Amino acid sequence: GAVVSQHPSRVICKSGTSVKIECRSLDFQATTMFWYRQFPKQSLMLMATSNEGSKATYEQGVEKDKFLINHASLTLSTLTVTSAHPEDSSFYICSALGQVSNEQFFGPGTRLTVL
Amino acid sequence: DAKTTQPNSMESNEEEPVHLPCNHSTISGTDYIHWYRQLPSQGPEYVIHGLTSNVNNRMASLAIAEDRKSSTLILHRATLRDAAVYYCILIKRIQGAQKLVFGQGTRLTINP
């Protein structure tokens, strides 16, 4: 089956630093990937749609200058949380769109804690 | 976009069947019914999907009402590993990237 990985799985950083999260499709190519954020006891909320070779599309209320998305290849999308603050602490999850089935395959998530 | 409604939580016992309901009264003819589940501290995983007919796979069965305004995910013999949040999501029957809109889902607790 299609596998999506995320790195790192967990990160703790100081307030004001930037953190990069990688999302990789391991055995298939994904022209489209999605980034979600999930706060404790809440559902997933879509942040942005990442398209290979073009700019990401952000959902309303998500700051594109704070959450930088780069989809430089068909197997890798990165999310950089710039100048992170404690309120950015969350579980960040990516998914990759399958080319054949139109199904989304999810990564295991990255837990970000900003001190 | 059509919306789904699920109970916030359900509880069942190990090795018993579980029926998870989902209402989608405003579903359109181009909507597929998808179910995902999210185990604690993990990303969601696909469970099953269907359009009009009931569907079975190794994980679960999906029973779809004749008017398609509701569906039920059936776990035939629950195990402790089935404890998760289950999401019922409608996805348009068109090619191309589509956003998944996650509701609150149903938190399923399995008692030993």
Side-chain angles (χ1 to χ4, degrees):
Chain A
V3 179
V4 175
S5 70
Q6 283 185 240
H7 179 79
S9 58
R10 187 181 296 266
V11 57
I12 301 173
C13 69
K14 292 182 179 179
S15 187
T17 60
S18 293
V19 175
K20 181 187 283 189
I21 303 170
E22 293 184 348
C23 176
R24 291 182 187 272
S25 54
L26 297 185
D27 49 3
F28 67 105
Q29 293 182 330
T31 55
T32 302
M33 292 183 174
F34 301 88
W35 286 97
Y36 298 82
R37 179 168 54 181
Q38 185 175 34
F39 293 108
K41 304 291 185 187
Q42 294 187 24
S43 188
L44 285 79
M45 290 200 58
L46 180 66
M47 298 175 68
T49 303
S50 169
N51 300 297
E52 188 267 336
S54 64
K55 288 184 180 180
T57 305
Y58 290 83
E59 294 300 299
Q60 193 171 5
V62 177
E63 298 174 57
K64 63 179 182 183
D65 294 329
K66 180 167 182 63
F67 299 99
L68 302 178
I69 292 172
N70 188 330
H71 194 153
S73 79
L74 288 173
T75 59
L76 173 64
S77 175
T78 61
L79 168 69
T80 301
V81 183
T82 62
S83 187
H85 290 284
E87 57 265 30
D88 298 322
S89 298
S90 188
F91 194 48
Y92 291 87
I93 305 168
C94 72
S95 70
L97 186 68
Q99 290 183 311
V100 176
S101 65
N102 224 24
E103 182 183 329
Q104 286 191 30
F105 302 96
F106 286 84
T110 296
R111 187 162 302 283
L112 170 64
T113 303
V114 185
L115 302 176
Chain B
D1 289 336
K3 191 178 170 183
T4 64
T5 305
Q6 299 176 251
N8 288 334
S9 63
M10 289 185 67
E11 199 169 326
S12 185
N13 297 319
E14 203 175 4
E15 299 188 3
E16 290 184 357
V18 180
H19 291 232
L20 297 164
C22 180
N23 285 322
H24 27 79
S25 57
T26 58
I27 191 170
S28 74
T30 56
D31 289 332
Y32 276 95
I33 303 159
H34 282 240
W35 284 80
Y36 283 80
R37 73 177 185 181
Q38 186 178 22
L39 279 64
S41 298
Q42 295 188 31
E45 65 173 341
Y46 167 82
V47 178
I48 201 167
H49 79 278
L51 183 64
T52 55
S53 303
N54 294 344
V55 185
N56 299 299
N57 67 20
R58 63 175 180 81
M59 288 181 72
S61 295
L62 177 61
I64 301 173
E66 199 167 330
D67 63 5
R68 301 213 320 131
K69 293 187 176 181
S70 65
S71 60
T72 302
L73 179 70
I74 302 167
L75 307 179
H76 294 286
R77 202 159 167 256
T79 69
L80 295 177
R81 287 175 294 180
D82 291 321
V85 179
Y86 286 78
Y87 297 98
C88 168
I89 302 172
L90 302 181
I91 301 179
K92 291 258 176 253
R93 188 186 173 188
I94 55 175
Q95 198 58 29
Q98 296 170 55
K99 299 186 233 183
L100 295 187
V101 179
F102 285 83
Q104 291 304 308
T106 297
R107 184 174 297 275
L108 176 64
T109 301
I110 304 296
N111 300 315

